[in-house]
Amino acid sequence: MDSIKLTINGKEVTAPSGCTILEAARQNGIYIPTLCYDEAVEVYGACGLCVVEVQGTPKLLRSCSAKASDGMVVETESERVVKSRKIAMELLMSAHDGDCVAPCQLACPANTDCQGYVGLIANGKFDEALRLIKNKISLPASIGRVCPHPCEKACRRGKVEEPINIAQLKAFAADLDLKGDAYVPEIAPETGKKVAIVGGGPAGLTAALYLREKGHEVTVFDMMEKMGGMLRYGIPQYRLPKEVLDSEIAIIEKTGVRLCNNVKLGRDITLDNLRNVNDAVILAPGAWKSSPMRVKGEDINGVYGGIDFLRSVIQGNPVPIGERVAVCGGGNTAMDACRTAVRLGAKEVYVIYRRTKNEMPAEDIEIKESEEEGVIYKFLTNPVEIHEKDGRVCGMTLQLMELGEPDASGRRKPVAIEGKTEYIALDSVIMAIGQKLDPTDFTAVELTERGTIKADEDTFMTDLEGVFAIGDATNKGASIAVEAIGEADRCVKVVDAYLNGDELDFRTPYISKRDDDRIDLSDREKQPRTVAEVLPAEKRRNNFDEVSLGLTAEEAQKEAQRCLECGCREYFKCRLLSVAQRYDINPERFAGEMPQKYTRDENAFIERNTAKCILCGLCVRSCKEVVNISAIGLLGRGFKTSVSPAFALPLDETKCTNCGLCVKLCPTGALTEKSTLEKQVPLKEDYSVERAEIDGASCEYLVSRYGGEIIRAVPNDDNARACEKSREEIVKILSK
């Protein structure tokens, strides 16, 4: 075969005579994006992404159709080319109505694949669910119990009736794992790099586990007698049994992480020493100091910080609180404090909160259960002065409030009602309005004006080379545990790159998000949310037994099956998204009416969603040119053109053989295969019968191939139907 020589991106290459520029580039390992091209079908040139600049040619050429010639000089990523591709991508994405990632995952500070593990639980794949969770959450049984689950607030199922019970599903999968042969992650080969972590709370332990998984030697130093940080010393036993936390920490220790307790920075070790011995240091000390309210009398005996009070109880040496207790604050720490006070025997427990119940940041379930346990709420009140008698708290004067205009947080600002106060008799006061870092031992690094450790928002690097900082002790201060875990996960990637001498790209990759205002869920059947049974109030208020009894396997599957599966199942192999993330695009500038409504049409094998279609034509052309059936085609004209079976019939009423070729070639999630083999229908034609040994059994499948690659494998005997392996595993076995 004759060959030609041409130059692509400054590199001289050889290609067969008569080939296109795209073919020449591909044969020489040079990437040119395209979403409408496949070797099996005729060139269509619909997407406009494969354009290139050819020296001496004024217009950009579509490389899928333009022939390569001897001596041609081609640029595939010139400024003109990139600009053209960005516009093409923006136009495509502006008409692409779909969620790349589910809203629940986007709302999770740790970026947990909530939809993924909920779906696995729905299908009874509990082990797989746990492993997926552990990709992002190092302590899932603990976090599943205490997380205020922002994922659920974003869950679209809440637009139907109630959000999916994501947090308890996480705890269910993790608890099941702990009861059996608990999963211990695999460790990469040893790198010889050493990392020291100061702080054994959720941030520090997460960083330790994920750095260890990458093969680094990790040592965690913590000033307390046991690891766990605020999960251990700030969360009561009735919410998070410490036996559960201990089991999860033991798994981290099994990976080879070295845990050193009763070691305090500034007393037992110095930052200079850690830097000299290790290749990197991560500061994750947590926020252990209760924030003051600046109220007259708060230094009186009997006034305690919320965290200090909870820690004393957990350590088995509770401070004296008497029979009448006031807890100031409206967050979950305040809830933990008031409910703990009830369990310690206090007869009157008040929560003092300056706004109304609707503005409380605490979880609704915490408020409800505390009320059941007898806690008294005094809304629209604010402490003015704490009084003493005989050297101890005897009461408090409260300023009565009303709500004014919204403040910076969006909540209506409480305003004092002049001249109106109230007095309540008390034995103790617990200030649960927040916590912060005690900066005494961290003066070696630069601090913010708030007294927290200053760390770069992207790299987590402090002002000291090789020293990173994460969690409640940094920048904006204390937050929820899952946010600290998310920071730790991102920091691990940075530290690993730092240790390897690599650089990271901190740009946020583009993803497609649906407009919630356009989503109509009125046709969805309402199903009640499944919630774990709890101990009755009269029983739980007298002890520290765990309140929630957890979900059963049947309850977990039933609840998980309510998931709407908002995120696209094709996310990891979507070619449309891959190209979109390659360029800095802004589709919003072309936003307007969507050409297609978000509707699902399906048969037993294929799901179609025309709203995700970009009209590349690959499905239509492959059905006509390769399979010679034409079960689908282009319907309509202009802006309203769509891909549809003839006369808009269901696929089952067409000549479709369910060969799956259209699904295989679709560059988006517009055409997807049903997720389980059990749901697939028999092939109508064009298949072969193939057998494979699977777990010691001979299994028979009906197999359809395209270009030698399996695109469908349908069970054809009882052994195959009983096989519990995933479709991906079956395809791998049959392909050998």
Side-chain angles (χ1 to χ4, degrees), residues 292-312:
M293 286 194 71
R294 298 182 176 85
V295 172
K296 184 178 180 181
E298 68 179 328
D299 57 347
I300 296 171
N301 187 22
V303 179
Y304 309 107
I307 292 301
D308 303 320
F309 165 66
L310 292 170
R311 183 168 64 247
S312 74

Side-chain angles (χ1 to χ4, degrees), residues 216-234:
H216 305 307
E217 182 182 331
V218 185
T219 304
V220 181
F221 299 96
D222 194 89
M223 66 180 182
M224 303 301 287
E225 60 270 21
K226 289 188 176 182
M227 294 286 170
M230 285 301 162
L231 290 178
R232 182 180 299 279
Y233 296 104

